[in-house]
Amino acid sequence: MIASRRKFIKISALGLGGILASTSALNIFGKNSYLNEKVVKNISKNFKKTATYCEVCFWKCAAWAYTNEKNEIKKIIGNDDDTHCNGRLCPRGTGGVGMYHDEDRLKTPLIRTTINGEETYREASWDEALDLIASKFKTIKETHGAEAIALLKHGSPGSHLEHLFKAFGSDTIAEPAYAQCRGPRETGFGLTFGSWVGSPEPTDIRDTKCLVLIGSHIGENMHNSQVQEMSDAIDNGATIITVDPRFSTAASKSTHWLPIKPATDIALLLSWMHVLIEEELYNKKYVEKYAMGFDELKAHVKQFTPEWAYGITTIKPAEIRKAARAMANAAPATIIHPGRHVTWYGDDTQRSRAIAILNGLLGSWGNRGGFYFKEKIKVPTYPHPAYPEPKWGWHNLGEQYPFAEMGITSEIIKATIPSDDQKHPIKAWVVAGTNLINTLPEREKTIEAINAVDFMVVIDTMPMEITGYADVVLPECTYLERYDGIRSATNRTPSIAVRTPAVKPKYDSKPAWWISKEIGQRLGLEAYFNYNDFEEVIEWQLNKLGTSLDEMKKIGVKNFERTSGPLFLEEDQEYEFATPSGKIEFYSQQLANQGFDPIPVYTHHPEPSQGFYRLNYGRSPMHTFSRTINNPNLSPLKDENTLWVNPKVARILDLKKNQEVWLKNQDNILSTFSIKVRVTERVRWDSVYMYHGFGHNNEKLTRAFGKGISDTELISKVVVDPIMGGTGLRGNFVSILTENPHKNTEI
Ligand SMILES: Nc1nc2c(c(=O)[nH]1)N[C@H]1C(S)=C(S)[C@@H](COP(=O)(O)OP(=O)(O)OC[C@H]3O[C@@H](n4cnc5c(=O)[nH]c(N)nc54)[C@H](O)[C@@H]3O)O[C@H]1N2
Ligand SMILES: Nc1nc2c(c(=O)[nH]1)N[C@H]1C(S)=C(S)[C@@H](COP(=O)(O)OP(=O)(O)OC[C@H]3O[C@@H](n4cnc5c(=O)[nH]c(N)nc54)[C@H](O)[C@@H]3O)O[C@H]1N2
Ligand code: SF4
Ligand SMILES: [Mo]
């Protein structure tokens, strides 16, 4: 155990060391080490341990929360039996206890009211707040239909509210993890292999011989077991190829770093296909057996030589060829990683298709060191009456995007802003576990929509930007204080994990399952909530799965045998992919039928004009979006973001290290706050870079308020993916101001 813990530390620390001031990264693993073996032993002797899974991000690592005799949470430690974490939480997960301790938390229900002509919140009892919500729901249903109430959600609370919404007759539901995150790759891979990538990604990184990262900044993107596996792969001598305009942590660990010109990846991917096919390096046997459309693909990529791609990507032809040969050399144990946050330039489904096709050419789907066949346990549904059939829902709002497979947040926004041609107007919102103001691009539109709704409820743990717009604010207790749905995730072997409360809810906060049930009862939907406590639901489900709550409280995670067959294809195995042709589709008739390119093409995207730089952003290793920025354990490790600026740009603009600057984007939108300059060769001269999640303007966040800049507020332009409706966020440009543009105005 000790050795593998060290290994994890190594990748995190060595990666982070290069990027952060090394002290902050190392401190986490150093003298205050949460991962220190001795501490773990002491804890297990004296403290009570409670089974949970982490909610600091959506990897959902199973963990133990340790409480002392006074029922205070002292530590959270990974569950050794969990394949998501292998006993080790990432720094954010370890700091999760700060979510519970944060004294800025929402403490009681709040209702918007007007006092002396000024809008403010007053504290309310749960009964009053829930009665108000139920009565508004009824009125809106009578006048506009239940469908006119939208649910915008993310994370665990979402599933409880989704059940309430469906019981009430609305599936006008969306989450930012689709159209602002994974959507395009799910569609791109779905069209090619007949299977979503899903989470966790079924990438066999630990056994890979060649890992290719297109952007994906694993090591800063701290998805736990994925980082651990990449560390193992590096130790085992795998070739790592990172394509990133920025010298990321992953790039610093790579055999090949290709500092691509932003927005040109499809050209590189096409030229790689060209090399694989022209040099006959692709997996002929695999392609013949499992793929269709090879001849069309071959003809299509004939023209896309590395010399052609050089002119577009700035990557030298020799480098392109070298990387392609390295991939082929290692194939089929090669992974072109599908990425996760892929809503970049609006042609993202096509980029994902190109990535999928490359994997297909190399034979990596279904082969060791490539992608494995994932398996998941189906958790039985607790009995309830059938849901009523809504007259319309998220499908209708995304009608113009034929391959949208989940609700599109931006379409909910659009349908909320009154207009003449509105077919399905939305009148009310419930927002649960998503800080839409700092999450959705085109902030002005989000606020316009919020101003148009008749009624808005926000369920959160913290006073975030979004809570300030609500009519009713409901304080949810943190994940450490509640039961939630059983975690069942795709993996090499299926597993389930439970979340049980380590402590009682602090203040007057309540879990989302309880909130949903209470609203349901007030709406006459008792039959859908036929239990007193969520424990009963979990117990019933666990019994069906051959275990019990008692057992799960003791073990936290249960791993099951696979039943769907082997992880990988066997020699010459017949295999039918879940595509219309039953094959891996290099050529997509489905796309052609809808008027889209059946094989990906490169399109040119706008470039920054004189004096502007492309706004690039990514993950802070110590934080998850904005949800951890005020966390008392994590905030001290990174309390503001910086603006990465290339030395050439610093010279031209005469910028110094740590100088405060403001940003103005192409639409003249100014940053609310300032940001300190970090001069570094690690970013290209045509871009600037910052961590997402900072720049909060809610003063109630005492640690986060006014610290750094929000990338989101500068993303006022999106390019929408015509295939599935994702919002491409990386086509915004900023100029750097050295004078405070707000000097004479109040913020
Ligand atoms: N610590 C931490 N980890 C997280 C999260 C978190 O909040 N905090 N969030 C999780 C979630 S929900 C997600 S979706 C993932 C996201 O993580 P990823 O899927 O890894 O996100 P990307 O946007 O691919 O990665 C950002 C990188 O893309 C590079 N990039 C920018 N433009 C281009 C371009 O045109 N071409 C190429 N090739 N690269 C480019 C940037 O320089 C940056 O290094 O992270 C997950 N992990
Ligand atoms: N500009 C820009 N926009 C982005 C991204 C980006 O990198 N840049 N990333 C995109 C991606 S990949 C994603 S997945 C999305 C993520 O988008 P969001 O999920 O909206 O991310 P957060 O800002 O962390 O918002 C989470 C909210 O949930 C609250 N919360 C935390 N725990 C709980 C809980 O237990 N219960 C309840 N009820 N609330 C809780 C937090 O206080 C916070 O308000 O953002 C997308 N948008
Ligand atoms: S990766 Fe880290 S933050 Fe995410 S669930 Fe696991 S421990 Fe929690
Ligand atoms: Mo995401």
Side-chain angles (χ1 to χ4, degrees):
M1 207 64 235
I2 294 175
S4 52
R5 281 202 174 110
R6 288 223 177 91
K7 202 179 271 178
F8 184 50
I9 292 166
K10 199 170 74 187
I11 179 153
S12 317
L14 107 188
L16 300 171
I19 283 206
L20 298 169
S22 56
T23 47
S24 54
L26 294 168
N27 266 350
I28 273 213
F29 304 105
K31 63 177 174 352
N32 295 327
S33 176
Y34 299 112
L35 299 173
N36 185 301
E37 193 75 3
K38 230 164 61 198
V39 178
V40 176
K41 278 203 189 119
N42 281 345
I43 283 174
S44 40
K45 246 188 277 152
N46 304 326
F47 295 167
K48 187 184 106 199
K49 62 179 203 179
T50 308
T52 186
Y53 57 85
C54 182
E55 183 82 11
V56 186
C57 88
F58 304 104
W59 203 249
K60 298 188 180 156
C61 300
W64 297 109
Y66 285 87
T67 42
N68 66 10
E69 304 76 10
K70 289 190 231 148
N71 230 11
E72 294 161 334
I73 308 179
K74 295 317 258 184
K75 300 277 174 205
I76 313 174
I77 285 167
N79 186 320
D80 283 340
D81 298 324
D82 185 32
T83 50
H84 293 234
C85 73
N86 304 312
R88 290 157 275 160
L89 298 186
C90 83
R92 298 167 301 150
T94 313
V97 65
M99 275 181 165
Y100 166 74
H101 286 304
D102 197 330
E103 67 287 359
D104 293 338
R105 273 174 65 171
L106 293 170
K107 299 184 173 71
T108 144
L110 300 169
I111 294 180
R112 182 180 288 269
T113 184
T114 309
I115 299 176
N116 298 333
E118 228 180 88
E119 286 197 22
T120 179
Y121 286 115
R122 68 177 172 79
E123 293 187 358
S125 69
W126 277 97
D127 269 335
E128 188 189 5
L130 298 169
D131 286 347
L132 175 62
I133 294 169
S135 90
K136 290 280 183 186
F137 266 46
K138 281 183 198 157
T139 318
I140 293 167
K141 184 170 186 171
E142 274 158 26
T143 28
H144 305 284
E147 299 87 345
I149 310 179
L151 172 63
L152 292 145
K153 48 112 185 177
H154 198 189
S156 302
S159 54
H160 303 295
L161 286 141
E162 189 164 342
H163 175 58
L164 169 69
F165 265 65
K166 288 186 170 159
F168 189 57
S170 170
D171 79 345
T172 312
I173 300 173
E175 59 182 84
Y178 186 68
Q180 283 72 43
C181 177
R182 302 192 273 138
R185 80 162 192 199
E186 306 304 3
T187 304
F189 272 65
L191 286 165
T192 314
F193 294 109
S195 167
W196 275 30
V197 178
S199 176
E201 291 81 9
T203 42
D204 190 21
I205 296 179
R206 78 175 177 207
D207 295 325
T208 200
K209 296 200 184 110
C210 178
L211 175 64
V212 185
L213 302 172
I214 311 294
S216 323
H217 53 336
I218 300 174
E220 290 154 279
N221 156 358
M222 289 296 275
H223 277 165
N224 196 337
S225 43
Q226 187 170 235
V227 183
Q228 295 185 34
E229 290 202 16
M230 182 163 148
S231 168
D232 289 346
I234 293 170
D235 284 354
N236 295 337
T239 303
I240 312 285
I241 300 171
T242 297
V243 180
D244 196 316
R246 182 180 66 98
F247 190 66
S248 61
T249 299
S252 74
K253 300 288 108 216
S254 294
T255 335
H256 305 267
W257 170 45
L258 309 183
I260 196 167
K261 181 171 169 182
T264 65
D265 295 77
I266 296 184
L268 175 67
L269 296 164
L270 288 170
S271 71
W272 274 343
M273 293 178 207
H274 171 97
V275 177
L276 292 180
I277 294 175
E278 291 301 312
E279 296 189 9
E280 300 200 25
L281 298 172
Y282 67 98
N283 188 330
K284 278 188 203 143
K285 204 168 144 198
Y286 180 96
V287 166
E288 236 162 67
K289 190 161 182 69
Y290 299 117
M292 60 76 78
F294 177 76
D295 292 340
E296 289 91 335
L297 179 68
K298 184 175 178 179
H300 179 73
V301 299
K302 184 140 192 76
Q303 55 189 312
F304 301 131
T305 60
E307 286 67 25
W308 165 82
Y310 173 47
I312 296 168
T313 61
T314 72
I315 309 292
K316 295 206 174 80
E319 287 293 318
I320 296 178
R321 289 200 168 87
K322 217 191 309 171
R325 288 169 194 155
M327 287 178 222
N329 226 356
T334 297
I335 301 166
I336 324 290
H337 197 285
R340 187 166 180 119
H341 171 63
V342 291
T343 46
W344 297 357
Y345 302 108
D347 52 2
D348 306 303
T349 302
Q350 291 291 13
R351 188 181 64 256
S352 296
R353 276 264 301 148
I355 291 172
I357 292 170
L358 261 176
N359 279 304
L361 281 174
L362 292 163
S364 43
W365 191 271
N367 269 314
R368 186 174 297 282
F371 293 76
Y372 57 81
F373 294 120
K374 60 197 176 191
E375 188 173 321
K376 181 178 178 169
I377 291 281
K378 185 168 172 7
V379 177
T381 310
Y382 189 75
H384 63 75
Y387 294 132
E389 196 59 47
K391 290 197 193 67
W392 56 273
W394 67 263
H395 293 94
N396 307 77
L397 300 176
E399 253 162 9
Q400 66 275 44
Y401 305 110
F403 295 96
E405 292 172 274
M406 280 175 72
I408 300 171
T409 39
S410 28
E411 290 303 305
I412 300 242
I413 304 281
K414 216 192 277 171
T416 309
I417 300 172
S419 72
D420 294 341
D421 57 349
Q422 219 169 13
K423 272 201 284 190
H424 303 298
I426 291 174
K427 296 293 177 188
W429 285 8
V430 173
V431 181
T434 169
N435 187 18
L436 297 176
I437 304 293
N438 225 21
T439 291
L440 299 184
E442 303 185 289
R443 187 179 282 180
E444 250 174 55
K445 280 195 191 160
T446 309
I447 292 174
E448 194 183 344
I450 290 174
N451 285 332
V453 285
D454 291 346
F455 186 61
M456 177 169 155
V457 180
V458 173
I459 303 167
D460 208 297
T461 52
M462 294 294 298
M464 304 300 281
E465 281 69 29
I466 189 70
T467 49
Y469 289 95
D471 296 301
V472 180
V473 179
L474 300 178
E476 183 169 21
C477 53
T478 66
Y479 70 103
L480 293 163
E481 304 161 289
R482 66 186 196 226
Y483 283 103
D484 256 316
I486 294 168
R487 183 207 82 185
S488 168
T490 55
N491 243 317
R492 290 184 177 91
T493 48
S495 68
I496 53 168
V498 290
R499 176 179 287 160
T500 61
V503 283
K504 286 208 184 71
K506 242 190 187 180
Y507 313 116
D508 198 8
S509 62
K510 302 277 188 191
W513 70 259
W514 182 89
I515 297 171
S516 307
K517 175 173 153 62
E518 288 289 319
I519 299 173
Q521 279 166 344
R522 286 166 171 78
L523 294 170
L525 302 170
E526 295 86 350
Y528 292 88
F529 298 92
N530 195 12
Y531 44 84
N532 292 314
D533 205 293
F534 203 66
E535 242 179 301
E536 293 166 41
V537 176
I538 300 174
E539 178 74 301
W540 184 90
Q541 291 172 319
L542 291 173
N543 290 344
K544 292 267 171 205
L545 292 171
T547 172
S548 67
L549 191 52
D550 262 354
E551 187 194 17
M552 289 305 291
K553 279 182 176 171
K554 286 190 202 110
I555 57 176
V557 169
K558 195 173 177 74
N559 289 298
F560 291 79
E561 298 284 318
R562 280 177 72 88
T563 56
S564 63
L567 268 176
F568 303 110
L569 293 164
E570 323 238 278
E571 185 78 22
D572 287 331
Q573 186 188 329
E574 294 305 319
Y575 188 85
E576 194 170 321
F577 289 81
T579 53
S581 62
K583 302 262 184 196
I584 300 168
E585 302 206 337
F586 290 164
Y587 179 96
S588 173
Q589 191 59 48
Q590 290 193 80
L591 283 175
N593 290 348
Q594 298 286 340
F596 299 115
D597 294 313
I599 305 176
V601 294
Y602 164 74
T603 40
H604 177 77
H605 296 288
E607 288 178 35
S609 52
Q610 182 72 24
F612 280 84
Y613 304 91
R614 188 182 293 275
L615 176 63
N616 186 5
Y617 57 81
R619 303 284 169 253
S620 161
M622 299 300 163
H623 287 289
T624 304
F625 319 116
S626 53
R627 64 172 49 215
T628 51
I629 305 291
N630 202 65
N631 181 312
N633 294 2
L634 298 174
S635 159
L637 301 171
K638 186 83 196 154
D639 69 345
E640 61 186 319
N641 54 359
T642 53
L643 186 72
W644 295 33
V645 175
N646 184 278
K648 201 164 131 187
V649 176
R651 234 180 356 260
I652 295 169
L653 300 180
D654 194 22
L655 299 175
K656 303 273 173 300
K657 182 181 164 194
N658 284 336
Q659 181 177 347
E660 261 184 79
V661 294
W662 290 259
L663 299 181
K664 181 155 114 177
N665 81 353
Q666 74 284 334
D667 297 325
N668 287 325
I669 292 180
L670 288 168
S671 64
T672 309
F673 303 111
S674 62
I675 187 167
K676 288 185 191 137
V677 168
R678 173 182 176 187
V679 182
T680 170
E681 295 277 3
R682 302 178 79 142
V683 65
R684 277 173 61 106
W685 57 268
D686 54 2
S687 317
V688 290
Y689 180 80
M690 67 172 76
Y691 289 144
H692 168 66
F694 290 85
H696 286 274
N697 60 15
N698 190 335
E699 290 184 41
K700 296 219 158 64
L701 299 169
T702 52
R703 276 173 292 273
F705 174 76
K707 298 278 179 63
I709 278 186
S710 158
D711 57 331
T712 308
E713 70 180 343
L714 299 164
I715 303 182
S716 53
K717 184 168 156 253
V718 294
V719 187
V720 179
D721 191 320
I723 300 177
M724 52 57 70
T727 52
L729 306 177
R730 289 204 173 130
N732 288 261
F733 308 112
V734 292
S735 60
I736 302 172
L737 313 178
T738 50
E739 290 283 315
N740 182 355
H742 304 296
K743 223 172 4 204
N744 302 318
T745 44
E746 257 183 60
I747 304 173

